[in-house]
């Protein structure tokens, strides 16, 4: 029996439809807290389109259809790219349709630009559910970019409708800063990316829903490790991108950091809805930019305000050139993006601070909260 989840994110609408309720339930888990996602009835064919003028994702477990698209991609000239950390083969038909397969994940895609309809099929429900939520978000991204929004590489917290945006390269502490501030009573708007658009009333900020990685050290110092472990032992499902070694450590009761071969720490991975249900954080749905924060983490330092916070650079704006995880293989973004000049100029006028944080979560949280309150009260 068909089920459907409709997602409304400001001026964007996407509906996920599936014969497998687990797939549409995943869309609720991803988008209900940050975007307005609701379960909707599937109308009879004679009653009009379920998409209601927005984009449509049709996602299901269908090995036969997967094989059909796999053969089709093999027959056409195709490109090989990395999309969402997976090898992906992409072919474009002369009628405008775009086909793609991810062989290792056993996932296949068909996108029709004329109707904004995305078909996703695979061999198993969980990979299809992950892909359908990701592509629903990508379809929202395309609509919001067409509406004049940009994407910043930033986390964000909110108080009284005012957003504090946190910038920095990978490992600088963007997510850590946002999560610590969320534990201090701020609303969490985003942990890695935000949508932003200059308006007469200021710089409007919308969230980018995504899974969140939280290290063992932060969980333990915040008193969240044991409650998390208890729920995992009781059968709670964490996000499937979580490494099995992290799951094993939770079962064993170990808080020792785990590192992969590239020196990256492996962390528990939370669904967006688990940030509120498990970590007791309040999620914000929109705000206006009020201030900027530039943290960096130094293991043995005393947390303090640093000098001369930097100006924003190209790496702080997600564009076709700087996007590293989700290249626009289905050509969902507008051919010509809105210019960033006005946005960059207006961001440059906002108050800002640079902070040095440490691995001591308590003292870092105290400095973050004081700095955030000062900036948002200005």
């Amino acid at each position: 029996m068909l089920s459907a989840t409709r997602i409304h994110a400001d001026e964007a609408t996407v509906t996920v439809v599936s014969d497998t309720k687990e797939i549409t339930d995943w869309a609720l888990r991803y988008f209900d807290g940050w975007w307005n996602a609701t379960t909707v009835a599937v109308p009879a064919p004679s009653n009009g389109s379920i998409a209601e003028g927005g984009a449509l994702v049709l996602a299901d477990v269908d090995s036969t259809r997967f094989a059909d698209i796999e053969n089709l991609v093999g027959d056409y000239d195709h490109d090989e790219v990395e999309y969402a950390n997976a090898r992906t083969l992409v072919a474009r038909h002369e009628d405008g349709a775009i086909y793609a397969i991810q062989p290792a994940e056993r996932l296949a895609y068909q996108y029709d630009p004329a109707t904004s309809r995305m078909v996703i099929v695979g061999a198993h429900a969980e990979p299809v559910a992950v892909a359908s939520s990701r592509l629903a978000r990508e379809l929202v991204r395309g609509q919001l970019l067409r509406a004049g929004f940009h994407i910043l590489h930033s986390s964000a917290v909110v108080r009284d409708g005012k957003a504090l945006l946190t910038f920095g390269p990978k490992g600088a502490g963007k997510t850590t800063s946002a999560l610590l501030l969320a534990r201090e009573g701020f609303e969490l708007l985003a942990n890695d990316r935000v949508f932003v658009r200059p308006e007469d009333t200021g710089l409007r900020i919308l969230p980018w829903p995504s899974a969140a990685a939280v290290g063992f050290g932060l969980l333990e110092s915040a008193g969240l490790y044991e409650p998390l472990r208890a729920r995992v032992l009781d059968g709670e499902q964490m996000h499937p991108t979580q490494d099995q070694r992290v799951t094993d450590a939770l079962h064993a009761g170990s808080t020792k950091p785990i590192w992969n071969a590239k020196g990256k720490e492996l962390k528990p991975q939370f669904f967006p809805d688990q940030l509120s249900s498990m970590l007791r954080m309040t999620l914000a749905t929109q705000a206006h930019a009020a201030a900027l924060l530039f943290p960096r983490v130094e293991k043995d330092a005393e947390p303090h305000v640093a000098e001369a916070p930097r100006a924003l650079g190209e790496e702080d704006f997600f564009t076709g050139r700087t996007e590293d995880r989700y290249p626009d293989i289905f050509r969902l973004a507008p051919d010509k993006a809105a210019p960033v000049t006005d946005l960059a100029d207006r961001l440059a006028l906002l108050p800002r601070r640079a902070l040095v944080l440490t691995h001591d979560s308590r003292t870092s949280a105290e400095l973050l909260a004081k700095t955030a309150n000062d900036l948002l009260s200005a």
Side-chain angles (χ1 to χ4, degrees), residues 197-311:
R197 182 172 68 184
E199 298 180 350
D200 291 342
T201 56
L203 296 175
R204 190 168 181 217
I205 308 296
L206 299 177
W208 167 283
S210 66
V214 187
F216 284 136
L218 178 55
L219 290 168
E220 186 177 29
S221 64
L224 295 170
Y225 179 84
E226 287 302 330
L228 167 61
R229 179 170 182 257
R231 293 184 67 154
V232 170
L233 292 174
D234 199 39
E236 179 91 13
Q237 180 190 24
M238 301 298 289
H239 195 275
T241 55
Q242 179 170 291
D243 192 280
Q244 183 60 44
R245 287 168 287 181
V246 173
T247 304
D248 294 341
L250 285 167
H251 279 273
S254 172
T255 59
K256 184 179 179 181
I258 303 169
W259 308 90
N260 66 13
K262 296 181 179 180
K264 179 182 178 181
E265 184 180 358
L266 303 175
K267 302 176 181 180
Q269 301 278 338
F270 293 84
F271 281 97
D273 70 323
Q274 289 174 325
L275 296 173
S276 53
S277 67
M278 295 179 69
L279 302 187
R280 305 302 179 191
M281 297 176 181
T282 301
L283 305 184
T285 58
Q286 63 177 320
H288 283 85
L292 314 181
L293 194 66
F294 299 86
R296 69 176 186 271
V297 177
E298 296 182 6
K299 181 179 178 181
D300 299 320
E302 188 72 21
H304 63 276
V305 177
E307 295 182 2
R310 66 175 177 83

Side-chain angles (χ1 to χ4, degrees), residues 152-237:
L152 295 177
H153 193 189
S154 167
S155 66
V157 295
V158 177
R159 192 191 67 192
D160 298 329
K162 299 178 179 179
L164 174 65
L165 304 177
T166 301
F167 295 90
K170 292 180 180 179
K174 293 188 302 297
T175 298
T176 296
S177 296
L179 296 177
L180 286 175
L181 286 169
R183 292 287 296 169
E184 293 293 314
F186 290 79
E187 297 173 71
L188 180 65
L189 185 73
N191 63 293
D192 185 62
R193 304 182 185 205
V194 296
F195 290 97
V196 56
R197 182 172 68 184
E199 298 180 350
D200 291 342
T201 56
L203 296 175
R204 190 168 181 217
I205 308 296
L206 299 177
W208 167 283
S210 66
V214 187
F216 284 136
L218 178 55
L219 290 168
E220 186 177 29
S221 64
L224 295 170
Y225 179 84
E226 287 302 330
L228 167 61
R229 179 170 182 257
R231 293 184 67 154
V232 170
L233 292 174
D234 199 39
E236 179 91 13
Q237 180 190 24

Side-chain angles (χ1 to χ4, degrees), residues 29-362:
R29 296 198 68 179
Y30 262 92
F31 303 120
D32 188 33
W34 272 315
W35 292 345
N36 179 24
T38 56
T39 299
V40 294
V42 180
S46 61
N47 291 339
S49 171
I50 190 173
E52 287 193 347
L56 182 64
V57 175
L58 301 173
D60 247 311
V61 178
D62 189 335
S63 296
T64 300
R65 182 63 177 140
F66 170 83
D68 289 342
I69 297 177
E70 183 179 41
N71 291 334
L72 187 150
V73 171
D75 290 341
Y76 290 162
D77 291 335
H78 56 262
D79 300 320
E80 181 173 328
V81 299
E82 185 170 289
Y83 179 81
N85 299 317
R87 175 174 172 262
T88 306
L89 307 180
V90 184
R92 295 174 175 85
H93 193 269
E94 59 186 15
D95 66 3
I98 299 172
Y99 300 87
I101 60 167
Q102 293 177 313
E105 288 70 23
R106 305 298 291 168
L107 288 169
Y109 308 82
Q110 177 183 341
Y111 179 63
D112 182 0
T115 60
S116 295
R117 187 177 79 166
M118 175 77 68
V119 175
I120 304 172
V121 291
H124 304 286
E126 185 175 280
V128 174
V130 174
S132 63
S133 292
R134 180 182 297 124
L135 266 298
R137 185 180 62 196
E138 292 300 291
L139 286 161
V140 167
R141 168 160 69 166
Q143 292 179 49
L144 291 179
L145 290 178
R146 285 184 171 83
F149 281 90
H150 302 269
I151 302 173
L152 295 177
H153 193 189
S154 167
S155 66
V157 295
V158 177
R159 192 191 67 192
D160 298 329
K162 299 178 179 179
L164 174 65
L165 304 177
T166 301
F167 295 90
K170 292 180 180 179
K174 293 188 302 297
T175 298
T176 296
S177 296
L179 296 177
L180 286 175
L181 286 169
R183 292 287 296 169
E184 293 293 314
F186 290 79
E187 297 173 71
L188 180 65
L189 185 73
N191 63 293
D192 185 62
R193 304 182 185 205
V194 296
F195 290 97
V196 56
R197 182 172 68 184
E199 298 180 350
D200 291 342
T201 56
L203 296 175
R204 190 168 181 217
I205 308 296
L206 299 177
W208 167 283
S210 66
V214 187
F216 284 136
L218 178 55
L219 290 168
E220 186 177 29
S221 64
L224 295 170
Y225 179 84
E226 287 302 330
L228 167 61
R229 179 170 182 257
R231 293 184 67 154
V232 170
L233 292 174
D234 199 39
E236 179 91 13
Q237 180 190 24
M238 301 298 289
H239 195 275
T241 55
Q242 179 170 291
D243 192 280
Q244 183 60 44
R245 287 168 287 181
V246 173
T247 304
D248 294 341
L250 285 167
H251 279 273
S254 172
T255 59
K256 184 179 179 181
I258 303 169
W259 308 90
N260 66 13
K262 296 181 179 180
K264 179 182 178 181
E265 184 180 358
L266 303 175
K267 302 176 181 180
Q269 301 278 338
F270 293 84
F271 281 97
D273 70 323
Q274 289 174 325
L275 296 173
S276 53
S277 67
M278 295 179 69
L279 302 187
R280 305 302 179 191
M281 297 176 181
T282 301
L283 305 184
T285 58
Q286 63 177 320
H288 283 85
L292 314 181
L293 194 66
F294 299 86
R296 69 176 186 271
V297 177
E298 296 182 6
K299 181 179 178 181
D300 299 320
E302 188 72 21
H304 63 276
V305 177
E307 295 182 2
R310 66 175 177 83
L312 294 180
E314 184 182 34
E315 69 276 8
D316 299 306
F317 296 82
F318 275 112
T319 65
R321 287 189 301 171
T322 59
E323 176 59 72
D324 57 349
R325 282 180 287 174
Y326 310 110
D328 190 21
I329 60 175
F330 297 106
R331 300 181 178 177
L332 303 176
D335 293 333
K336 186 176 181 180
V340 300
T341 306
D342 180 43
L343 171 60
D345 289 345
R346 292 170 72 167
L347 285 167
L349 298 175
L350 297 178
R352 62 190 62 203
R353 294 286 188 280
L355 298 181
V356 173
L357 307 178
T358 182
H359 288 180
D360 183 341
S361 298
R362 183 67 261 155

